[in-house]
Amino acid sequence: MLSSTLLQTLAVCLAGMLSAASASPCAAKSSDGCGKPLPAGQTRGGVASVNITSGSLERSFLVFVPPTYKPGHPTQVILSYHGGTKTALQQLQLDNLTSPEFNTQSMVVYPQGINDSWQGVPGVTINDVQFTADLLDHLQGQYCIDKQRIMATGKSDGAGFCNVLACDASLSTRIAAFAPVSGAYYVDTLPCAPETVAIPCQNGRADIPMLAFHGGNDSVIAYLGGERKNACLPTVPHWIEAWAAREHLDAANHTSPVAADTVVYQYSRPGEPSLVNLVYDSVNGHDWPSTLPNADNQNAGQAPTSFNATPMILDFFAKHPLTQLV
């Protein structure tokens, strides 16, 4: 039997659909694209390449439309940013977010960086924050998007760009949660003091959910940080502790096992679920963690991990919608 609260919500939603002027909770989280057919050439369960203009530049991204997509039902969107020197297609092939084993419900969007790189990497001057804002505007105008469930993940430089977005005053109010993998969190300062370097951040809201992954054997973006590309990489523990401090969480973390050689450091407030988390695999390298072979773990000296990051990311995103739309 439906609860009285749920019945009331359904009634308000129905009233909102019947009246365009109604400010119902359904309308509040729905985008302008609700009710529109899919763009020409796109199909449910398929991947399409899309071009838009951002800052006078032609930009592109891949969009995966989930097989369960309905034009009248607000759908979660996951932005997945490729690593440096990689492409949107390579990220799609890596993260398994379009695999029916893991995801049949969420739209997944793979932006393409100019010169295969992202804002936040030393020397990159392209405004990818604006590109992301323009991309979201495009998605919300063309598809039925749940504005409370826009998420971001990425690998390496793409993971570092997730941190740029989480620290942006505007985009941090549009993107609900973040899950960077093997992130390069550059700070533009030298000399480099990885354990104490000040990490600038202008996040526009409090309580930003963060689930990060990093390997202890990462030889590209070292877990203990250091100078790289004439900038400073903080140690990953220092970076995650800075996020916990920013969110006013307990300084001491709770450590839980995930799998062999892997733990998660969880930061929270007393009596509340963890908001900031770091999954640390002591033997993993610069990889997207997966129990199955992928483009990362087939490199020399690498192997599949004892856990799979993708379902953990999807579960984390499911638990952390935006609680208030700006």
Side-chain angles (χ1 to χ4, degrees):
M1 180 178 294
L2 294 177
S3 69
S4 59
T5 301
L6 180 55
L7 285 170
Q8 289 172 0
T9 300
L10 290 172
V12 173
C13 288
L14 179 58
M17 287 186 284
L18 294 174
S19 171
S22 173
S24 74
C26 290
K29 74 173 189 175
S30 301
S31 69
D32 292 340
C34 288
K36 291 184 179 180
L38 285 173
Q42 296 187 25
T43 59
R44 290 182 296 178
V47 176
S49 180
V50 179
N51 293 334
I52 63 172
T53 299
S54 176
S56 76
L57 294 174
E58 183 174 301
R59 304 299 301 267
S60 66
F61 57 90
L62 301 177
V63 57
F64 165 75
V65 180
T68 57
Y69 178 79
K70 297 178 182 178
H73 182 76
T75 301
Q76 175 171 271
V77 171
I78 301 172
L79 307 174
S80 186
Y81 293 89
H82 62 76
T85 75
K86 303 299 183 181
T87 66
L89 178 59
Q90 288 173 310
Q91 180 67 9
L92 182 152
Q93 295 167 337
L94 176 67
D95 67 17
N96 267 327
L97 288 170
T98 61
S99 169
E101 179 181 356
F102 299 118
N103 171 37
T104 59
Q105 304 291 325
S106 297
M107 181 174 291
V108 190
V109 175
Y110 297 89
Q112 177 61 52
I114 298 292
N115 296 323
D116 302 336
S117 193
W118 294 111
Q119 184 177 352
V121 175
V124 174
T125 59
I126 300 295
N127 191 343
D128 290 313
V129 170
Q130 184 61 53
F131 170 42
T132 299
D134 294 338
L135 184 158
L136 291 179
D137 290 344
H138 176 86
L139 293 175
Q140 291 176 356
Q142 295 296 314
Y143 308 92
C144 192
I145 303 302
D146 186 340
K147 293 187 289 185
Q148 290 180 290
R149 291 191 173 275
I150 298 171
M151 312 293 179
T153 185
K155 164 79 189 298
S156 192
D157 286 353
F161 183 59
C162 287
N163 185 66
V164 172
L165 294 173
C167 284
D168 181 76
S170 177
L171 268 297
S172 62
T173 67
R174 296 183 70 178
I175 300 174
F178 300 84
V181 178
S182 302
Y185 311 115
Y186 291 103
V187 179
D188 186 17
T189 187
L190 288 177
C192 180
E195 296 181 348
T196 59
V197 61
I199 304 174
C201 191
Q202 301 295 324
N203 48 302
R205 79 178 210 266
D207 292 353
I208 295 176
M210 183 71 66
L211 172 64
F213 298 80
H214 219 97
N217 279 337
D218 193 327
S219 60
V220 179
I221 305 299
Y223 185 72
L224 296 181
E227 183 177 339
R228 191 172 192 268
K229 295 187 176 181
N230 294 316
C232 186
L233 288 171
T235 70
V236 177
H238 173 49
W239 174 82
I240 202 72
E241 287 166 3
W243 265 111
R246 213 171 280 133
E247 304 297 312
H248 305 291
L249 307 179
D250 284 351
N253 68 75
H254 175 71
T255 304
S256 301
V258 173
D261 307 308
T262 306
V263 296
V264 56
Y265 303 119
Q266 300 168 303
Y267 296 84
S268 62
R269 301 186 187 97
E272 295 184 7
S274 59
L275 188 69
V276 171
N277 310 268
L278 170 63
V279 179
Y280 170 68
D281 185 330
S282 61
V283 300
N284 192 32
H286 194 62
D287 296 353
W288 185 282
S290 175
T291 57
L292 301 174
N294 64 21
D296 280 349
N297 61 37
Q298 294 303 287
N299 294 327
Q302 304 292 358
T305 51
S306 56
F307 73 100
N308 198 325
T310 299
M312 293 179 66
I313 290 170
L314 289 168
D315 181 65
F316 184 73
F317 287 165
K319 295 175 179 177
H320 292 287
L322 270 177
T323 55
Q324 183 175 1
L325 291 171
V326 177

